[in-house]
Amino acid sequence: MEPSSRAEYTARVRELPASERPRERLRDHGPDALTTAELLAIILRTGSASQDVLALASGLLHRHRGLGGLARLSFADLVREKGIGEAKAAELKAAFQLALRLNALQPEERPFVHSPADVHAILGGELELLDQEHLRVLLLNSRNQLMAVREVYKGNVRSSLVRASEVFREAVRQNAPSIIVVHNHPSGDPTPSADDVVLTKALAEAGALLDIELLDHIVIGEKRYASMKQLGLGFPK
């Protein structure tokens, strides 16, 4: 290989082993499973002639003492970094600015959840398209305002597999007084199964012990949903 062609070579994420590709790991396991370097690598997309994109991302974070230091660099400073041209610098500055704007959202801009229909409006359009079961948890404040949405399980949402500690972990960490659990039925039929009832009962009991109220368990189907609370399934009478 001639030196000129070697200099033009750029390592891409798709050339890494499948188990190491940040984009695929995010798709399969969610963004929480990725390190900061892996998330940064997704934004950068490609490495340089001398290092792959993960090494480039890790090097940037190391030299600038983490994400905060990197975010404080000017556009010109970023362009001077080896492996970062104007396109990558622009993408990084845009990502950092979006993060700042998201963080600056006022509490009143976060949606309120007062009914199963509100839950369906937030998650229904996405969950009804998935070909596997996903279980997500909505964290609510004392005014039933959405604090966050966390995905807890993907694949088989079964009472024998779902652990209450995982479902309530983020609520405990963020001191959320109540949660709503949501999962989808890829079949399109939102009718709760016997296993859904068992799971709801277990989560309601765990929430009572933790002093975190399980407000509802919503099952999402194709253009439809079922509220376990409204149906009186799994909740104390």
Side-chain angles (χ1 to χ4, degrees):
M1 180 181 292
E2 295 296 325
S4 59
S5 61
R6 185 163 54 245
E8 294 171 359
Y9 174 79
T10 302
R12 298 180 182 277
V13 172
R14 66 172 177 265
E15 294 165 348
L16 298 171
S19 61
E20 298 178 15
R21 296 173 191 168
R23 188 180 300 171
E24 282 74 6
R25 279 172 38 75
L26 186 147
R27 179 197 64 201
D28 296 338
H29 306 291
D32 290 346
L34 273 66
T35 65
T36 301
E38 288 173 323
L39 292 170
L40 185 60
I42 290 176
I43 296 173
L44 295 173
R45 292 178 293 111
T46 60
S48 66
S50 60
Q51 58 185 343
D52 65 30
V53 68
L54 281 171
L56 175 61
S58 298
L60 287 170
L61 293 170
H62 177 73
R63 285 194 297 279
H64 300 288
R65 299 183 179 181
L67 201 57
L70 186 60
R72 285 189 287 271
L73 294 182
S74 67
F75 186 89
D77 289 335
L78 284 170
V79 171
R80 282 193 286 269
E81 289 286 331
K82 186 177 181 180
I84 304 294
E86 290 195 354
K88 283 188 173 69
E91 289 162 353
L92 287 172
K93 295 301 287 185
F96 292 139
Q97 184 59 37
L98 285 172
L100 288 173
R101 294 184 185 185
L102 179 62
N103 190 57
L105 285 177
Q106 298 302 308
E108 58 268 19
E109 296 181 65
R110 300 169 187 165
F112 287 88
V113 180
H114 294 301
S115 69
D118 291 337
V119 176
H120 186 260
I122 294 169
L123 291 178
E126 178 187 359
L127 287 180
E128 69 181 28
L129 298 176
L130 301 176
D131 58 5
Q132 287 184 298
E133 288 188 340
H134 290 243
L135 186 145
R136 297 182 184 175
V137 179
L138 279 67
L139 310 183
L140 305 177
N141 65 18
S142 59
R143 297 191 298 157
N144 281 17
Q145 197 170 26
L146 185 64
M147 297 169 60
V149 179
R150 294 288 182 266
E151 182 160 288
V152 181
Y153 281 89
K154 172 186 173 182
N156 292 318
V157 177
R158 301 287 184 268
S159 59
S160 58
L161 300 176
V162 177
R163 298 177 58 188
S165 59
E166 293 294 327
V167 173
F168 285 95
R169 174 178 294 177
E170 199 65 19
V172 171
R173 195 172 73 83
Q174 296 198 33
N175 200 30
S178 60
I179 67 170
I180 295 175
V181 172
V182 186
H183 85 276
N184 63 309
H185 281 179
S187 67
D189 182 359
T191 303
S193 67
D195 208 58
D196 293 338
V197 177
V198 172
L199 175 60
T200 303
K201 184 175 185 295
L203 294 178
E205 291 172 350
L209 292 173
L210 293 168
D211 198 26
I212 299 174
E213 185 178 4
L214 176 67
L215 293 180
D216 208 339
H217 181 179
I218 307 292
V219 183
I220 302 291
E222 185 177 0
K223 307 298 182 185
R224 297 178 292 160
Y225 62 88
S227 162
M228 306 281 283
K229 187 68 171 287
Q230 288 184 343
L231 294 171
L233 299 175
F235 287 88
K237 302 297 184 181

